[in-house]
Amino acid sequence: MRQLNNWQNAIYLIGAMLMVVGAGSSVLAWWAAPYIFAVGSIAFVTMQLQQRYEGNNFVIRRLRRIMILSDVLFLVSALLMIANTGNFLGLSHLTYIEYVYNKWVVTLLVAAILQLYSTHRIDHELKKEAKKL
């Protein structure tokens, strides 16, 4: 895996912290929580996409695709959080409740589980690959 430089690593960590602060403060119904989460998720996803794998290991490539899927789900969670602040999509009240209202929690949970799994497995596979060399 391509390693991030110091600035990219700092942006990556700040993005992750902003995501945690945004998701946590949304419980308190703070008006800025969705925007903080969105900025954090954009920074986190951008820096994570900078880490590329140039090897030929099929397992790591598959895990990288799973990680990219979780990145997309983080961004969808941010969009749903922003859409949750009000019905500005022009949907009827029942449709809004059925498809938008607090659905960001589900996408965030799925993204976090996929991220945790793929990160752990990629680390394990990279260590196994390093032992072969």
Side-chain angles (χ1 to χ4, degrees):
M1 297 282 288
R2 182 179 167 272
Q3 297 298 318
L4 299 175
N5 63 28
N6 289 338
W7 283 103
Q8 291 173 329
N9 200 18
I11 293 170
Y12 181 74
L13 292 174
I14 290 170
M17 288 189 308
L18 286 174
M19 286 172 64
V20 170
V21 168
S25 61
S26 68
V27 173
L28 303 172
W30 188 34
W31 67 269
Y35 306 108
I36 291 172
F37 183 84
V39 169
S41 64
I42 289 170
F44 182 82
V45 167
T46 304
M47 290 303 114
Q48 198 167 55
L49 291 176
Q50 295 291 323
Q51 296 176 325
R52 299 195 188 277
Y53 178 70
E54 284 113 19
N56 294 326
N57 189 337
F58 178 75
V59 174
I60 296 176
R61 295 172 120 201
R62 178 184 56 87
L63 290 167
R64 257 313 271 163
R65 286 191 294 266
I66 292 172
M67 190 177 281
I68 290 171
L69 173 65
S70 78
D71 289 340
V72 169
L73 288 174
F74 279 134
L75 295 175
V76 168
S77 297
L79 288 175
L80 287 173
M81 274 180 96
I82 292 171
N84 198 40
T85 59
N87 188 6
F88 59 83
L89 299 174
L91 301 172
S92 70
H93 186 66
L94 290 176
T95 306
Y96 172 76
I97 295 293
E98 187 174 346
Y99 293 113
V100 177
Y101 187 70
N102 283 342
K103 300 300 189 250
W104 65 269
V105 177
V106 175
T107 57
L108 181 60
L109 178 65
V110 171
I113 290 171
L114 289 175
Q115 189 73 225
L116 186 66
Y117 170 74
S118 61
T119 302
H120 175 71
R121 291 286 296 137
I122 285 174
D123 184 49
H124 178 73
E125 289 294 323
L126 285 174
K127 285 180 183 175
K128 189 165 54 170
E129 192 176 83
K131 285 183 183 178
K132 286 182 181 179
L133 299 176

